[in-house]
Amino acid sequence: MSNMTFGKYIPLDSVIHKMDPRSKILAMLILIVAIFFPSGWIGYGVIGLCVFIVVLLSKLNIKIILNAMKPMMMMLIFLLFINTLVIKQGDLLFNIYGYTIYSEAIFQTLYITVRLFLMIMITTTLTATTKPLDLTLGIEDLLSPFKKIGVPSHEIAMLISIALRFIPDLIEETQRIMKAQASRGVDLKEGSFKEKIMAILSLIVPLFISALSRAEDLANAMEARGYSPGKERTRYKTLKMVFKDYVLIASSFVLLIAMIVLSRIYA
Amino acid sequence: MPILFKEVSHIYSEGTPFRYSALTGINLNIKEGKITAIIGATGSGKSTLVQHLNALLLPTSGSVTVFDRVITSDEKPKNLKSLRKDIGLVFQFPEYQLFEETVLKDVEFGPKNFNIENSEEKAKQALKMVDIDASLFERSPLELSGGQKRRVAIAGILAMDPKVIVLDEPTAGLDPSGSKSMMKLFLDLNKKYNKTIIIVTHDMEQVLNYCDEVVVMSEGKIKYESEVKTFFKDSSLCKSLGILPPNVIRLKDELIEKGYKIDDDVMDIKSLVKIISRQVKK
Amino acid sequence: MNVVEVENLSFSYGDDINAIDDISFKIEMGAYTTIIGHNGSGKSTVAKLLIGLLEPLKGNIRIEGVPLSLENLDFIRSKVGIVFQNPDNQFIGSTVRDDIAFGLENHLVPQKDMDDIINKFSEKVKMKDFLNSEPSRLSGGQKQRVAIAGILAIAPDIIIFDEATSMLDPQGKDDIKSMIMELHNESKITIISITHDIEEVVKSDKVIVMNNGKIVSEGTPDKVMVDKKLLIDVGLDIPFSMKIVEELRKNKIKINDEVTMEGLVNKLANLI
């Protein structure tokens, strides 16, 4: 459980932690768009450097971000394998019994890896420096202009904040049920295909039932405390942007424009 | 000597900022054929301790001997399956592990995983032990009442025919009569079927009325262990460990303070009342 | 004055037999009432009906004279708070502070007042040092204390405890029980506690015994909790002191009924 770093808030005292969640969310969105422009190695170098500076400012341990990459490793290896089969351009690097690997395949995989790495780095920095509740407040505020066209911004924000609140509980519950079934001889690693299906069912069904009963309890608790979707509420926390927030958003924009320009040149 | 802990320590998340030492230097000998209570405050390491019994957790250092197997930190998971058949571990709120279409199938799940022959027969016997009527065998376990669900879940462990049954707070959330019949079931399993039983509990009345041995844990260490009778003989021991003694013991203490003369080894209602009666002015 | 009035209330979860079968009772302002009964006797259903989480099949509920209906629901929920059994599933905020604020936001408390209220009631339940703590770092007893603070913050007249101590360890149980006693002694809050804890029942002003959706007995604990036959019939435990009284009578000692340990000790002290 403790090695689950992706999406976890890490309480530290830094300038990035203290920033308005709205500016952080906007900056994240702008940068992700920027990454989508094929701006070449120079472009990614520039974004990488900027993000790295932000990570340094946020006092986060770079290991945390590398850890968040771990679950992606299998996917990337698979991608590399597919690429070597499909892409037959560039220089021939290896030829092992007819299995050929071209430089372009390696290059393309590396390219995607870098993009993915940058995106994870940005989102992890956001979630690690922003409390779940602030994050949802930010999302709610950013969505509120769309209320007029029927977007339930408050409900979406509540949904996200409850999901975030219960993720640790559900992880704990999953581990508990896994151990309980392991005590009844369930072995996820060995056994026939049929046994594996049963093993997975023995985990999924109880987890689903417990999540449902939890949801019912929670709905009751919220209702009993006067909550009702769509009803007017006051707000405990309100967000306030200051100068540095505008600086963050503006710099992200500058980066985005730079990437667009670079991608034109590169093309 | 079925279960022996030797200098067992367990550390969660070693090498991370979340490092937490849950057990330190545990030496413990659990006696065969007895009912042993494990007590202690929340977070004292009780659950971590019992999960070592069927190797859901491996010791960070030290060793756990269970019958003829010695479990250490480098144990291979392959060797653990037969151990899990011998040590039946019932988690807290076990009703949450039911998942099959019918009660009978759910109880059969364990024995089938361990390739036990006649799993259906074993399942039926186990259900009989926990007092679940045959008319419920084909029902969905989810339709049963809370107490019945828990019995079915316990039957699911009993059907594996374990030598040792470990129960983590088996009566949590049950009403008084439900708790009582649950505890009677464990007493039966011990006396009639000769099972060694380990119960994690907070309830001192249960410790006094149903258990033979007691282990007191605090902050990952064993603070005290003895026979239950010795443990409750002197209530100052309980108090020094931060435990509220059972009612009989508390009443005895209060009466001694008021001038009654009562022996240390009186710890059931009948003998206590007999002694009071002799001293009361008629 | 009766703050809770229930008349001919019935409820059913499906087409099955009635979970609540034509019950009527009244609760006086400031009283401490316990409701006991075995699992499935309908106690928790009553609690859910009182706060309008379930809709009755038949009958009326009035809170401070106001009938419970869809239009009055907001008013009722500002007067009645409930602490549920499972501490984890009623903690809605991501920190103690946010969780107390959640109820305030729902009841339209102005933002400028919130910090004072949060400080006051977190102090009252001794959780002020934990205002920024996440629920996963709190014990069950601490979470229940936060739940109580969240309710007190909206200044209700009635608090229902629905088996609020049953999932706690002895320390947590004692904490919550003494907090209930404190609320009862120091404020005018009406307390309704659904419980299996006999020690708690004998300290209450009035006890209601339920069985199969009906009220089978009600009155002061020293009248109700001495009815051994009734208690055994409905699957409940009799108070420890009554077990001793019974046994003493078997030994031909004359002694009056007694439901508390202190009372029993005093009676026996006079006999020596």
Side-chain angles (χ1 to χ4, degrees):
Chain A
M1 191 165 56
S2 50
N3 48 27
M4 278 269 309
T5 47
F6 186 68
K8 200 172 182 174
Y9 173 67
I10 297 161
L12 290 168
D13 184 29
S14 85
V15 61
I16 306 291
H17 280 78
K18 284 185 196 127
M19 279 181 137
D20 190 300
R22 289 172 299 182
S23 59
K24 284 191 270 187
I25 295 168
L26 277 178
M28 177 195 81
L29 291 174
I30 296 166
L31 285 179
I32 284 178
V33 173
I35 290 169
F36 273 105
F37 284 93
S39 55
W41 295 113
I42 302 170
Y44 290 142
V46 173
I47 298 184
L49 190 70
C50 293
V51 177
F52 186 68
I53 292 171
V54 172
V55 173
L56 280 184
L57 284 176
S58 67
K59 297 184 185 170
L60 291 172
N61 190 336
I62 198 83
K63 257 194 201 157
I64 288 165
I65 289 158
L66 294 176
N67 268 336
M69 276 295 282
K70 269 187 196 156
M72 307 291 161
M73 281 319 279
M74 277 314 286
M75 206 180 92
L76 290 172
I77 291 168
F78 184 67
L79 187 78
L80 176 68
F81 176 68
I82 296 286
N83 277 347
T84 58
L85 290 180
V86 177
I87 300 170
K88 303 287 178 190
Q89 286 156 334
D91 304 328
L92 180 68
L93 296 178
F94 298 100
N95 186 341
I96 312 157
Y97 300 109
Y99 175 69
T100 52
I101 297 174
Y102 286 84
S103 61
E104 192 67 14
I106 305 273
F107 185 72
Q108 284 292 335
T109 312
L110 217 60
Y111 207 69
I112 293 173
T113 308
V114 168
R115 283 177 161 192
L116 202 67
F117 177 70
L118 285 174
M119 278 189 223
I120 289 177
M121 199 156 158
I122 293 166
T123 44
T124 307
T125 310
L126 173 74
T127 52
T129 61
T130 318
K131 281 185 200 152
L133 193 90
D134 290 344
L135 207 57
T136 49
L137 276 178
I139 293 170
E140 185 179 353
D141 275 13
L142 288 173
L143 283 176
S144 62
F146 302 104
K147 236 182 188 165
K148 290 198 182 76
I149 56 163
V151 176
S153 58
H154 167 70
E155 284 74 12
I156 291 174
M158 185 56 88
L159 211 77
I160 299 171
S161 89
I162 288 189
L164 288 173
R165 150 78 183 87
F166 280 92
I167 285 171
D169 285 17
L170 284 175
I171 291 173
E172 200 174 300
E173 182 84 1
T174 310
Q175 288 178 330
R176 214 179 63 86
I177 296 170
M178 274 172 93
K179 280 183 177 172
Q181 304 297 31
S183 304
R184 296 167 80 188
V186 167
D187 188 344
L188 277 166
K189 291 198 184 82
E190 284 162 39
S192 65
F193 181 69
K194 202 186 154 213
E195 280 170 338
K196 271 187 186 150
I197 295 280
M198 281 306 274
I200 291 168
L201 271 180
S202 77
L203 177 63
I204 299 287
V205 175
L207 197 59
F208 194 70
I209 294 166
S210 114
L212 276 181
S213 87
R214 203 184 275 275
E216 196 188 334
D217 277 6
L218 188 69
N220 278 336
M222 290 175 75
E223 225 189 308
R225 290 178 68 184
Y227 182 79
S228 154
K231 209 187 87 175
E232 193 199 350
R233 300 174 82 219
T234 49
R235 236 162 105 163
Y236 176 49
K237 275 189 186 153
T238 39
L239 301 170
K240 200 167 179 295
M241 291 247 224
V242 293
F243 183 66
K244 62 183 178 197
D245 292 301
Y246 295 109
V247 171
L248 181 69
I249 297 169
S251 351
S252 317
F253 258 115
V254 170
L255 260 180
L256 174 62
I257 291 161
M259 290 310 117
I260 295 172
V261 173
L262 267 174
S263 72
R264 283 290 162 86
I265 299 167
Y266 191 69
Chain B
M1 205 185 288
I3 297 168
L4 186 68
F5 281 68
K6 247 192 222 154
E7 286 301 322
V8 171
S9 295
H10 190 92
I11 299 165
Y12 287 107
S13 312
E14 177 85 287
T16 74
F18 305 99
R19 184 184 187 277
Y20 172 67
S21 178
L23 295 178
T24 341
I26 300 284
N27 287 302
L28 179 65
N29 170 13
I30 288 172
K31 296 192 180 83
E32 197 162 5
K34 300 276 186 194
I35 304 183
T36 302
I38 300 182
I39 61 178
T42 307
S44 58
K46 303 178 305 253
S47 290
T48 306
L49 182 86
V50 295
Q51 287 179 38
H52 279 79
L53 294 170
N54 71 345
L56 285 173
L57 295 174
L58 297 176
T60 311
S61 64
S63 70
V64 183
T65 310
V66 180
F67 297 110
D68 46 359
R69 295 179 203 80
V70 181
I71 305 157
T72 53
S73 59
D74 52 1
E75 188 68 31
K76 299 275 180 312
K78 229 184 2 197
N79 308 329
L80 301 176
K81 207 160 172 175
S82 64
L83 172 67
R84 295 200 176 143
K85 189 214 151 291
D86 281 347
I87 311 283
L89 178 55
V90 180
F91 270 76
Q92 207 177 354
F93 300 106
E95 52 273 31
Y96 279 118
Q97 69 204 39
L98 302 174
F99 74 102
E100 273 281 16
E101 293 159 66
T102 69
V103 166
L104 191 60
K105 271 191 185 169
D106 204 288
V107 177
E108 259 182 87
F109 180 66
K112 274 190 173 161
N113 281 330
F114 291 110
N115 302 316
I116 296 172
E117 282 171 35
N118 304 327
S119 59
E120 190 177 327
E121 215 34 58
K122 294 268 182 200
K124 284 182 177 164
Q125 278 170 17
L127 282 163
K128 202 178 160 208
M129 280 187 211
V130 299
D131 221 3
I132 292 287
D133 194 79
S135 65
L136 299 174
F137 286 4
E138 295 304 318
R139 291 265 290 274
S140 159
L142 305 180
E143 290 170 13
L144 306 179
S145 76
Q148 285 173 327
K149 275 187 201 164
R150 189 168 297 184
R151 286 167 174 277
V152 170
I154 291 173
I157 299 292
L158 295 180
M160 295 161 16
D161 198 19
K163 293 177 190 153
V164 179
I165 301 163
V166 188
L167 303 125
D168 193 351
E169 293 190 47
T171 60
L174 295 182
D175 58 25
S177 69
S179 299
K180 211 171 179 178
S181 61
M182 193 65 80
M183 291 310 293
K184 275 194 180 138
L185 165 70
F186 305 143
L187 201 61
D188 258 15
L189 289 171
N190 175 252
K191 296 279 173 303
K192 268 198 221 157
Y193 302 92
N194 203 26
K195 306 281 185 195
T196 301
I197 294 186
I198 299 165
I199 298 179
V200 175
T201 181
H202 285 304
D203 188 333
M204 289 311 124
E205 306 293 332
Q206 286 177 358
V207 177
L208 176 64
N209 294 326
Y210 298 95
C211 301
D212 306 307
E213 303 280 326
V214 61
V215 176
V216 186
M217 294 194 65
S218 169
E219 291 167 356
K221 296 197 179 89
I222 290 178
K223 281 277 130 86
Y224 182 83
E225 69 173 300
S226 75
E227 283 188 17
V228 167
K229 291 227 156 67
T230 320
F231 180 54
F232 288 123
K233 219 169 219 172
D234 178 5
S235 68
S236 62
L237 178 64
C238 263
K239 283 169 193 152
S240 72
L241 292 163
I243 295 164
L244 187 69
N247 283 323
V248 182
I249 310 296
R250 274 161 55 208
L251 179 64
K252 185 175 82 175
D253 280 0
E254 300 256 6
L255 291 179
I256 290 172
E257 217 167 89
K258 299 284 180 205
Y260 282 86
K261 286 184 183 61
I262 306 164
D263 288 341
D264 269 354
D265 50 3
V266 173
M267 30 188 107
D268 65 299
I269 292 183
K270 277 207 158 73
S271 352
L272 179 65
V273 169
K274 233 174 228 146
I275 290 184
I276 300 171
S277 307
R278 264 186 245 134
Q279 297 176 47
V280 160
K281 286 178 285 188
K282 298 272 162 73
Chain C
M1 187 185 126
N2 292 318
V3 282
V4 177
E5 290 161 289
V6 171
E7 271 170 21
N8 304 103
L9 189 68
S10 291
F11 177 81
S12 156
Y13 281 103
D15 307 323
D16 281 356
I17 28 152
N18 283 354
I20 299 296
D21 193 2
D22 193 27
I23 64 168
S24 303
F25 64 91
K26 288 188 175 103
I27 287 172
E28 253 181 67
M29 191 169 90
Y32 178 10
T33 308
T34 43
I35 303 181
I36 56 172
H38 63 80
N39 288 348
S41 61
K43 304 167 306 220
S44 288
T45 308
V46 172
K48 291 205 179 92
L49 285 163
L50 284 180
I51 192 157
L53 289 173
L54 297 172
E55 205 183 328
L57 197 65
K58 274 189 221 120
N60 300 308
I61 297 170
R62 271 193 302 277
I63 305 289
E64 298 178 14
V66 178
L68 199 160
S69 66
L70 212 52
E71 304 88 73
N72 298 332
L73 217 48
D74 278 348
F75 170 80
I76 301 287
R77 287 180 185 158
S78 70
K79 293 292 172 196
V80 191
I82 181 164
V83 182
F84 292 98
Q85 182 177 23
N86 191 329
D88 292 318
N89 298 352
Q90 54 187 316
F91 202 110
I92 292 142
S94 50
T95 62
V96 171
R97 186 189 293 282
D98 295 332
D99 191 65
I100 300 175
F102 174 77
L104 298 174
E105 293 174 327
N106 294 335
H107 290 284
L108 300 173
V109 174
Q111 187 192 20
K112 62 177 170 45
D113 301 337
M114 286 189 188
D115 268 321
D116 287 344
I117 298 176
I118 292 170
N119 285 334
K120 182 177 167 196
F121 290 103
S122 59
E123 173 119 57
K124 170 104 187 142
V125 301
K126 301 181 190 75
M127 287 299 289
K128 202 173 173 189
D129 294 341
F130 296 88
L131 275 176
N132 296 319
S133 298
E134 292 168 36
S136 57
R137 307 216 170 262
L138 305 178
S139 71
Q142 286 175 323
K143 283 180 206 160
Q144 293 300 62
R145 266 150 53 191
V146 174
I148 294 174
I151 288 165
L152 291 175
I154 53 163
D157 297 330
I158 302 158
I159 303 185
I160 304 171
F161 292 87
D162 185 0
E163 292 192 45
T165 63
S166 72
M167 287 174 77
L168 307 181
D169 61 8
Q171 175 71 50
K173 276 190 171 80
D174 282 352
D175 268 11
I176 301 302
K177 280 197 283 184
S178 57
M179 194 153 283
I180 294 175
M181 251 356 241
E182 203 181 300
L183 286 174
H184 175 56
N185 292 335
E186 290 175 7
S187 64
K188 282 204 176 108
I189 290 179
T190 307
I191 289 166
I192 303 170
S193 177
I194 293 163
T195 182
H196 287 308
D197 189 328
I198 300 291
E199 302 292 317
E200 189 191 338
V201 174
V202 297
K203 284 183 187 150
S204 65
D205 300 328
K206 177 179 160 182
V207 52
I208 295 175
V209 186
M210 291 195 63
N211 193 36
N212 299 332
K214 290 191 173 74
I215 291 177
V216 289
S217 178
E218 89 180 275
T220 54
D222 58 347
K223 295 271 167 7
V224 176
M225 301 309 288
V226 297
D227 191 345
K228 185 181 169 192
K229 190 179 172 303
L230 170 98
L231 293 173
I232 301 277
D233 279 353
V234 299
L236 295 172
D237 218 2
I238 56 172
F240 172 74
S241 53
M242 277 307 293
K243 289 181 191 163
I244 299 284
V245 168
E246 285 268 328
E247 201 62 33
L248 283 166
R249 284 175 188 158
K250 277 187 203 157
N251 282 282
K252 306 214 167 57
I253 308 285
K254 280 196 189 108
I255 187 164
N256 289 333
D257 287 343
E258 178 54 57
V259 293
T260 68
M261 176 89 93
E262 300 84 49
L264 179 69
V265 170
N266 288 337
K267 279 189 174 133
L268 286 173
N270 291 333
L271 286 177
I272 197 166

